[in-house]
Amino acid sequence: MQMSDITLIGAGPLGLTTALALQRRGHQCVQLVDARPGPGVQRDARSLALSHGSRELLELLDAWPIDAATPITRIRVTQAEGCGETWLDATELALPALGYVVSAEALEAALWARAQAAGLDVRWQQRIIRLQAEGSHVRVHGAGGADFTARLAVRCEGRIESTEADRRHDYAQVALICHATPATPHAGLAHERFTPQGPIALLPEGEGYAVVWTVPSTRAEALLAAPDNEWLATLNAALPTDVKLTALRGRAHYPLTMSLRERPVAARQVWLGNAAQTLHPVAGQGFNLALRDAWQLAEQLTDAPDPGTAALLARYARSRSLDRQTTASFTDLLVRGFGSQLPLASPLRDIGLRGLQALPPLRRFLARRMIWGARAWP
């Protein structure tokens, strides 16, 4: 049985990015396996909020879907129980945009085109059921008896089982997803609105907004059963009075939890993306963190004859610890802090938003942290 240097499980946007980054760093014997029947066969309706830092990484791989990306030039942060607000602006950082909204399908198409040009080995219709480390290699067991061997296996899809999570919290919330038409052009302005029910994000995508609307699980069932006009009226009532949506489409939903593996490596195995950490969507940090993990993994394994050694994987885990821990804690703090109904919580949040707006250095640091992760720290 032929052995590859690295086998990646999952050929979606994260898996393709990881494979291209590894190849760029000298690993030519990289293989991807995916349970799907082929690229683009299954529709992926997600909208991805990518930071400017993620754009920089994808540009280095010649895989940035420039024609499909809507820039976020400003972000307005407000709360429903006060009038304080904070504005983040790309011009303060001398950047063309703070981030971009790209459909998952457009990003995967750009990455797939690059993967084909690079000659990546992708095996479709291969559902993986088990990994087994065996000394100098790892055996990847597929359904139907298909087996692969590699010096390193990287899981780029899946989720963390509750028994595997070192940190886990069920927010008892559901994310309601849709696309909405604004009454006036968005001009690249995104909104992060904190309400007692949960945060709402309006992300500019094309002429409209990709909406991520967080509600308590106890309220989600009634909203999911409501017609579009009722959804729209309820959503508009939770937004700032000067923001109005006129139509919506493409409703979907998913439950919200936080799960984290403290150590995203094991014997000849690495977990990336949702297989390593699942975060609340507030501030849009999850996929950007996954891309930074993938990039750092490729850097750590540059030209390594054996990419699966314990020393290399331990070094990778240490290099990613600060970014992973602080990003998970930051998103968790935002959800819990802005969701608190303790006495004086709302006035204190209002003071915090006003204070952040009055302190440009702190505001710029926060923006850099969201764009580049731990690299923004002094």
Side-chain angles (χ1 to χ4, degrees):
M1 182 181 298
Q2 183 178 1
M3 181 185 298
S4 63
D5 276 349
I6 302 170
T7 292
L8 295 100
I9 302 165
L14 180 58
L16 291 169
T17 300
T18 307
L20 290 169
L22 287 164
Q23 189 183 74
R24 180 175 180 270
R25 288 290 180 171
H27 289 284
Q28 300 304 314
C29 192
V30 176
Q31 178 185 71
L32 294 98
V33 295
D34 196 292
R36 296 174 297 169
V41 174
Q42 294 175 319
R43 181 151 162 48
D44 189 341
R46 291 177 300 157
S47 296
L48 302 175
L50 301 179
S51 71
H52 184 75
S54 292
R55 171 183 174 165
E56 291 174 334
L57 299 183
L58 290 165
E59 283 182 327
L60 289 171
L61 300 176
D62 295 325
W64 176 244
I66 186 169
D67 294 332
T70 304
I72 299 172
T73 55
R74 295 177 298 156
I75 302 174
R76 181 187 180 191
V77 185
T78 60
Q79 71 155 341
E81 297 180 311
C83 55
E85 60 182 33
T86 292
W87 291 73
L88 305 177
D89 196 316
T91 59
E92 288 193 329
L93 300 173
L95 293 175
L98 297 167
Y100 305 82
V101 182
V102 182
S103 73
E105 290 181 340
L107 178 59
E108 186 166 351
L111 287 162
W112 177 241
R114 186 71 190 91
Q116 288 180 299
L120 287 179
D121 178 11
V122 185
R123 310 290 179 92
W124 301 102
Q125 295 182 298
Q126 301 292 336
R127 184 171 64 85
I128 302 307
I129 57 176
R130 184 165 57 95
L131 301 182
Q132 182 179 353
E134 298 178 350
S136 63
H137 65 276
V138 59
R139 191 176 298 275
V140 181
H141 297 278
D147 284 0
F148 307 91
T149 58
R151 293 183 173 84
L152 175 67
V154 183
R155 282 194 175 271
C156 300
E157 64 177 11
R159 60 187 179 88
I160 306 172
E161 299 296 336
S162 58
T163 56
E164 300 174 325
D166 298 296
R167 289 173 58 187
R168 183 176 176 83
H169 180 73
D170 185 347
Y171 293 105
Q173 294 178 332
V174 172
L176 306 179
I177 310 299
C178 66
H179 286 82
T181 303
T184 58
H186 55 64
L189 172 63
H191 293 269
E192 189 75 57
R193 175 74 160 175
F194 291 96
T195 80
Q197 304 294 314
I200 303 171
L202 303 184
L203 305 171
E205 184 176 18
E207 298 298 317
Y209 276 121
V211 180
V212 184
W213 178 17
T214 304
V215 299
S217 301
T218 53
R219 191 183 178 209
E221 186 174 347
L223 282 168
L224 290 170
D228 283 359
N229 62 338
E230 187 175 328
W231 245 54
L232 191 61
T234 306
L235 177 56
N236 273 322
L239 296 174
T241 55
D242 58 348
V243 179
K244 184 179 180 181
L245 306 176
T246 60
L248 58 83
R249 60 179 174 82
R251 290 164 45 170
H253 68 283
Y254 61 91
L256 297 177
T257 61
M258 187 270 284
S259 297
L260 179 73
R261 295 181 192 269
E262 296 285 354
R263 188 173 173 79
V265 300
R268 296 197 174 272
Q269 299 175 51
V270 175
W271 290 270
L272 295 178
N274 285 337
Q277 64 266 326
T278 303
L279 307 182
H280 194 286
V282 66
Q285 292 296 294
F287 190 68
N288 293 290
L289 176 61
L291 292 182
R292 296 197 297 270
D293 288 343
W295 194 264
Q296 186 66 29
L297 177 65
E299 287 194 342
Q300 289 290 339
L301 303 183
T302 299
D303 294 327
D306 183 351
T309 64
L312 274 176
L313 299 187
R315 192 181 307 151
Y316 161 75
R318 288 193 301 270
S319 73
R320 295 304 303 148
S321 179
L322 176 63
D323 197 8
R324 296 180 67 245
Q325 294 287 347
T326 56
T327 301
S329 297
F330 172 66
T331 57
D332 189 52
L333 178 64
L334 282 178
V335 177
R336 294 176 189 252
F338 276 93
S340 173
Q341 298 303 302
L342 292 174
L344 299 179
S346 180
L348 288 174
R349 291 192 293 262
D350 213 44
I351 292 171
L353 287 173
R354 292 173 183 268
L356 188 59
Q357 182 63 21
L359 295 170
L362 181 58
R363 195 169 62 247
R364 287 193 293 269
F365 170 76
L366 175 63
R368 288 195 302 270
R369 178 64 182 80
M370 293 172 66
I371 291 170
W372 291 292
R375 285 188 292 157
W377 287 58

